[in-house]
Amino acid sequence: MYDHIMPILTATEDCPAEGQCGVTALVIQDVYGGAILKTKTGSKLAF
């Protein structure tokens, strides 16, 4: 699974959390349930 996910993450040295919001949202939803919402922040989506 790690090898499948890593190419789609966009983290950089300057911003190591970049691209993590979708993965984090899925983990939180799996543990607590609920809906995943998204919003556009600039040209990117955040969950």
Side-chain angles (χ1 to χ4, degrees):
M1 181 181 258
Y2 179 83
D3 292 335
H4 179 71
I5 293 173
M6 286 310 295
I8 62 173
L9 300 178
T10 57
T12 64
E13 201 170 296
D14 293 333
C15 186
E18 180 84 26
Q20 299 295 316
C21 59
V23 175
T24 302
L26 289 171
V27 171
I28 296 300
Q29 183 194 35
D30 190 45
V31 173
Y32 295 104
I36 296 177
L37 304 176
K38 64 181 177 181
T39 187
K40 196 166 188 177
T41 56
S43 63
K44 298 181 180 184
L45 291 174
F47 298 88

